Structure formats: C-alpha cells, structure tokens
Amino acid sequence: MDEVQDLAEQPMKKAKMQESDEQMLQQANNADSSDQKAESSGLGSDLPMSSEIMPCTDYISRSSNEYTSQMYSAKPYAHILSVPVSETMASYSGQTQYQALQQSQTYAVYPQTTQAYGLPPFGDASTSPLLPRAAASKDVDEQSRKNVTGKNRGKRKADSSSPQDNELERVFLWDLDETIIIFHSLLTGSYAQKYGKDPTHVIGSGLTMEEMIFEVADTHLFFNDLEECDQVHVEDVVSDDNGQDLSNYNFSTDGFSGSGSNTNHSSGGVQGGVDWMRKLAFRYRKVREIYDKYKSNVVGLLSPEKKEVLQRLREDIEMLTDSWLGTALKSLLLIQSRKNCVNILITTTQLVPALAKVLLYGLGEVFPIENIYSATKIGKESCFERIVSRFGKKVTYVVIGDGRDEEMAAKQHNMPFWRITNHADLVSLHQALELDFL
C-alpha cells in the first residue's frame, strides 16, 4: 500500500480507499493474526498498536522533586483494544480504511512553527481562530445563565445540558496529559529519553509550566481553599449556592477553611455545615466566572513579566515536543467545527489545577468549563457514566487517550478507543476525522 501522506498536503480519495478494502483488510489480519479478530462492524475494531506505550496520566503534584527523578518504563500491549460498537456506529463505512490509517508508518515532518497548526494567538482573543465556532454556544450559555435568578440558581442540576446537547450525534472524550499536551513526561524526563531531547531543558520547561499552573490556581482559582475539597465538575456544589451577589464579597475574610474535615462541616451543627457548603459553592461559582472571562486571554491574569515567560514557555514546549499540541489542535478544531459533535475533557488532575492548565495551554475556547471533568476522586469509568447520563445513550462516544484508565473505561462502556502514543497517532486521528471515518 502506498504511504499515507499528510492529509493537509495530499488528501486521500475515499473511492481509492474503498477499492483496496480487501487488500488492506488482508494486511491487517496478516499483521497480527494471533491477536486480532475481525468485527462485523465497528469503529474501534482491530486497530494495530505501537509496541510500546508510556502509561502517563494527567497527574500533577505539588512536590515535583518527588517524581522528577522517576522514569516511566514502556509497557507492551498485545494489541489495540477491540470494542464492539453500538448500533449507531453501524452506518459507518470504511472500516478497513480506518485500519489502514492506523497502520501507516510514514508521516510528514512536523513543522517547528506553532502558526503552522493554528495554535491560539497569544494574548489577543479578537484574532483567535477558535472564536467563530465558540461564539454561538457561548452566547446561548451566557444568556441562559443570566436568566437564572438567585432564587433558583441553587436548583440547577449538575452537568446541565445546553440546547445544542439535544442535537448531538457524537461526543469525543479526550484525555489531557500525553494526549492533547505533553506535560507529565516533561517533568519525569521520559519524553526527553524517548525522543532524544536534552533532559535538562525538557525537565526545566516542565517545572516552569508546573509552577505557573499552581500560581494561577492558587492566586486566581482558590486552590489553597479548594485543594482538599476537590470536585468532579464545576457545578457539583451549585445546589448549595443561594445566588448571593458576590461583587463585594470578601473571600479572604469569610472564615472558610478548606481542609474538608468533619469539623468544618459540623462545628456549628446543621447550620455550620450549610454555611460551609454555601461558601464552598461561592468559590466554585467564582472559579467559573474567572475561567469564562479569561479563557480567551489567560495573560489577563498574569503580570507583564509572567506574560512574557508564558509566551516563551509555550513556544519552547511546542518546539521541544515537535508541535504536539498544534497537531492535536487540528483534530480538536475539526470536531469543534461540526455542529453535531462536542469535545469533552476527562483528566486525572484535580479540577482547579486542571482548569489552570487548560487556560495556560490556550485550550479555554476548545473546552468550555462545563465540558471539563476531573477523575481524581471517582475514576474515569465513573466520569464516563456521568457523561453518558448527561448526553444520553443515543449519541456515539469516541474515547481518545494514551493510558490504561481510559482504555478500560472505554471498554467497560462499549466505546471505541483511539490510542495516542506518538505524533503519528495524532496525524492518523486527524486524517480519520477529515475523511469522515470518525
């Protein structure tokens, strides 16, 4: 089979792909006949797999020194997860084309400039390429929030759905670290080891980004208060919010202690617990407001000096990772441009630092805050259950990640799983999306 070239340069013809169905299917079967079995239909079936995978998660620690010296060892997997898919996927054609995209081993060279992949412009929200797609949903969401009175604000359900949710056909569930961005493997040095980069430079960049993440989380998103009372979703405590005007509210003097101990909940009896939960809800409401305000312009939260540091750091990391984020963004933006699809983020980072991370990497417009979930407390499988409860069982779910957690959660929920282990997997993903196989 001819080598698959970068889709942006030489688009594939579906007809050509279909003419070679039987040949590519035979190649797929011969490549791993002992492990792979052909499915009658299905998007995630019999996808060949790299012989190694780095089992990194979205973990982010206060004490980097505890693990920067540790290196992840590659663990072999027999084959990519084969998942029977729901009837909603039966209409897909080109299963063997999808397999061929995963099998291809030749890809275009990645450009070193972030502009080549349309990274969000730094500090200028007005020119962001993400704005046109996000504008409509943002207007609807903001208007609906304005229409919520103080009286019924606390009665909104968590994971509330927007009107667009009812029109969805496909939901893409994304992992964050080592899938969309490279972060944890920067800190451990495993990325430098795998790709032959200068470990000192790589680890240093990772530590600098980690420091900025916690600075934004602590300074602007109340992480000092919320670290011990982490939530899965920003609206999980909204029922305790009485809608009080927070314009002149002083969070530093309201007596809130975020240790999460039983004492904080019960020191004043029932009333003490209610008061504590109300103050907790106020903080998460404010977190949402800050995220929404700065998701297109995170530098508005930073000093001029830190703004320059972040700009250089993002460019540096993009260069060190051979435009990893820019490559992932091609798929994210393509999905976002579809009216019947949505991107959802499920990360094992705690919710507040995860929000800071998303902002600092320029992903705020790709992931509205209501589409971000933290699996730290309940695990990814339970997060998937919540998302299915939110969007329903009629839509098709596609899981994209690098780790065992999301792989097993996808299998448990009968969802197709696309594994990301290297740049080639990201390119194949974009090709599959652009050819409407996903």
Side-chain angles (χ1 to χ4, degrees):
M1 175 178 174
D2 293 335
E3 296 178 343
V4 179
Q5 300 298 323
D6 186 3
L7 202 59
E9 299 175 0
Q10 299 185 15
M12 286 185 173
K13 301 291 186 180
K14 287 187 181 179
K16 180 179 178 181
M17 297 289 289
Q18 290 171 347
E19 289 173 1
S20 58
D21 271 357
E22 294 183 0
Q23 178 182 354
M24 287 182 288
L25 180 58
Q26 184 63 36
Q27 292 173 353
N29 290 336
N30 292 339
D32 194 1
S33 59
S34 62
D35 290 324
Q36 300 182 357
K37 295 182 180 178
E39 299 285 350
S40 58
S41 66
L43 183 61
S45 305
D46 300 329
L47 305 182
M49 154 81 196
S50 173
S51 61
E52 293 184 340
I53 182 171
M54 202 164 22
C56 300
T57 64
D58 301 354
Y59 177 70
I60 179 170
S61 169
R62 285 283 193 174
S63 305
S64 299
N65 293 333
E66 295 178 4
Y67 59 83
T68 50
S69 61
Q70 299 175 358
M71 298 292 180
Y72 277 118
S73 59
K75 296 183 179 180
Y77 283 76
H79 55 78
I80 196 74
L81 179 66
S82 295
V83 184
V85 293
S86 63
E87 294 181 359
T88 57
M89 297 296 287
S91 60
Y92 272 94
S93 62
Q95 178 183 349
T96 54
Q97 294 96 314
Y98 176 88
Q99 294 169 346
L101 287 173
Q102 284 280 320
Q103 288 173 331
S104 175
Q105 299 299 316
T106 305
Y107 298 90
V109 176
Y110 303 92
Q112 296 298 319
T113 58
T114 59
Q115 291 82 357
Y117 280 108
L119 282 178
F122 197 85
D124 185 2
S126 63
T127 60
S128 172
L130 310 184
L131 281 176
R133 174 67 181 91
S137 60
K138 184 180 78 169
D139 291 344
V140 173
D141 291 342
E142 289 184 355
Q143 186 61 42
S144 63
R145 284 199 293 273
K146 290 177 182 178
N147 292 336
V148 176
T149 63
K151 181 178 180 180
N152 65 14
R153 177 188 296 272
K155 297 181 180 180
R156 289 180 298 170
K157 294 181 180 180
D159 308 0
S160 58
S161 300
S162 66
Q164 292 88 348
D165 290 351
N166 297 325
E167 303 172 4
L168 289 176
E169 296 179 6
R170 200 151 306 130
V171 176
F172 291 84
L173 308 180
W174 290 82
D175 179 43
L176 182 57
D177 282 14
E178 320 312 315
T179 299
I180 299 175
I181 65 173
I182 298 297
F183 179 71
H184 189 62
S185 61
L186 295 183
L187 295 172
T188 64
S190 57
Y191 187 90
Q193 184 180 45
K194 182 176 181 179
Y195 291 99
K197 306 290 184 179
D198 177 9
T200 301
H201 191 184
V202 169
I203 294 174
S205 296
L207 290 173
T208 303
M209 179 59 82
E210 183 189 50
E211 181 182 352
M212 295 198 73
I213 290 168
F214 281 121
E215 180 178 344
V216 169
D218 288 336
T219 305
H220 302 287
L221 303 178
F222 303 100
F223 191 49
N224 286 322
D225 288 346
L226 302 177
E227 183 173 7
E228 299 300 326
C229 37
D230 187 42
Q231 303 298 315
V232 176
H233 190 266
V234 71
E235 293 188 352
D236 280 0
V237 292
V238 72
S239 60
D240 297 295
D241 191 338
N242 64 5
Q244 178 179 333
D245 183 3
L246 301 180
S247 301
N248 299 313
Y249 188 86
N250 193 330
F251 288 93
S252 61
T253 60
D254 69 349
F256 179 83
S257 174
S259 66
S261 65
N262 293 330
T263 303
N264 289 319
H265 292 76
S266 59
S267 57
V270 175
Q271 183 59 39
V274 171
D275 184 61
W276 187 91
M277 290 300 297
R278 178 173 52 82
K279 293 174 182 177
L280 177 67
F282 286 172
R283 280 158 173 77
Y284 275 100
R285 195 214 306 177
K286 192 66 176 179
V287 164
R288 178 168 193 154
E289 291 175 1
I290 294 170
Y291 184 95
D292 287 343
K293 181 177 181 180
Y294 294 99
K295 64 182 180 181
S296 304
N297 186 29
V298 67
V299 294
L301 295 172
L302 307 176
S303 67
E305 294 79 10
K306 289 294 184 180
K307 174 182 176 179
E308 293 180 5
V309 171
L310 178 60
Q311 182 172 1
R312 291 195 303 269
L313 184 60
R314 280 174 55 176
E315 293 173 352
D316 193 34
I317 291 177
E318 192 69 355
M319 181 188 67
L320 286 171
T321 60
D322 301 315
S323 298
W324 185 287
L325 173 58
T327 310
L329 263 175
K330 292 178 69 179
S331 294
L332 286 164
L333 295 177
L334 197 158
I335 293 168
Q336 190 179 39
S337 70
R338 299 174 177 176
K339 294 181 179 180
N340 61 349
C341 296
V342 66
N343 292 305
I344 302 293
L345 186 68
I346 305 101
T347 171
T348 51
T349 302
Q350 283 184 274
L351 182 60
V352 172
L355 297 176
K357 190 189 295 187
V358 169
L359 289 174
L360 288 169
Y361 275 92
L363 295 167
E365 288 185 29
V366 177
F367 293 107
I369 193 170
E370 62 269 17
N371 290 351
I372 299 175
Y373 293 78
S374 170
T376 304
K377 292 173 62 176
I378 64 174
K380 290 198 172 181
E381 184 177 331
S382 295
C383 276
F384 284 16
E385 290 177 1
R386 287 188 54 165
I387 294 166
V388 171
S389 176
R390 170 181 170 182
F391 294 105
K393 296 183 178 181
K394 292 184 179 181
V395 302
T396 300
Y397 296 90
V398 180
V399 182
I400 305 167
D402 74 294
R404 185 74 171 173
D405 288 348
E406 55 264 25
E407 176 187 348
M408 298 310 297
K411 182 177 181 180
Q412 184 68 27
H413 289 277
N414 204 33
M415 298 174 180
F417 177 68
W418 188 292
R419 189 190 308 285
I420 300 295
T421 61
N422 50 43
H423 296 83
D425 295 336
L426 289 171
V427 174
S428 293
L429 174 63
H430 181 256
Q431 290 175 335
L433 287 166
E434 198 162 54
L435 290 171
D436 291 330
F437 298 156
L438 282 176

